[in-house]
Amino acid sequence: KMAKRAGKYKITKRESAVSVIDGGTVDGIIVGSRRNVIALTDAGAAGAIRTALTEAESGTIFTVPELTTGTQTIALPAPKVGLSYTFVTVDTADQIFKVETDVSATKILAVKPDGAGNNTAISQGYDSIGFKAAAVLGSQFTCTCISTTAAVAWIAHDVVDGLAANVGSIDLA
């Protein structure tokens, strides 16, 4: 009888039982896993740039292109702890791009650089975070669900304002 293998390694029945390769489940992040990247496409008009984000897309980096017309949006799914989505500009935005919550009661906790070496204070949860028209190549942020309590469901982090002095790229509303 041949020993069971995971890649080039021989493993026991016990190790096989907890192996993701053999159907085990992961509670957390698999270190070293490759992240998906999805290039968003300019909708050419104000409104949704595409359908709402899905749970299956959690962990994905979405690239935001130059936008030609109107404020373009994408909706977060209903809050589920651990979901996370990253957005990064790959050109000057030229129009507003917003990541919106699924319903008005659901909020995003966020700060943004104020250009003076500080961050804005969180005085409330926001309905959206995104890029202003002036956002340049490399501006980015990540939204992660931290709670199913609507008022504190999402947090925006790893916020990078690509403009000199950190002013003018990030839009909170």
Side-chain angles (χ1 to χ4, degrees), residues 21-104:
I21 295 169
D22 294 331
T25 58
V26 175
D27 184 20
I29 297 172
I30 299 174
V31 177
S33 64
R34 195 171 88 182
R35 292 179 68 182
N36 289 331
V37 177
I38 295 177
L40 296 174
T41 303
D42 175 30
I49 198 166
R50 57 153 266 190
T51 58
L53 298 167
T54 67
E55 284 186 30
E57 292 172 318
S58 180
T60 298
I61 298 169
F62 292 88
T63 59
V64 180
E66 177 181 20
L67 304 174
T68 58
T69 307
T71 298
Q72 296 184 36
T73 63
I74 195 166
L76 291 165
K80 184 173 181 182
V81 174
L83 296 179
S84 187
Y85 309 90
T86 298
F87 300 87
V88 60
T89 54
V90 293
D91 200 326
T92 300
D94 288 340
Q95 301 293 324
I96 295 171
F97 171 80
K98 289 186 177 189
V99 175
E100 300 177 325
T101 58
D102 63 322
V103 293
S104 63

Side-chain angles (χ1 to χ4, degrees), residues 93-97 112 130-136 168-172:
D94 288 340
Q95 301 293 324
I96 295 171
F97 171 80
K112 66 179 179 176
F131 301 117
K132 293 182 178 180
V136 296
S169 285
I170 305 300
D171 182 53
L172 294 170

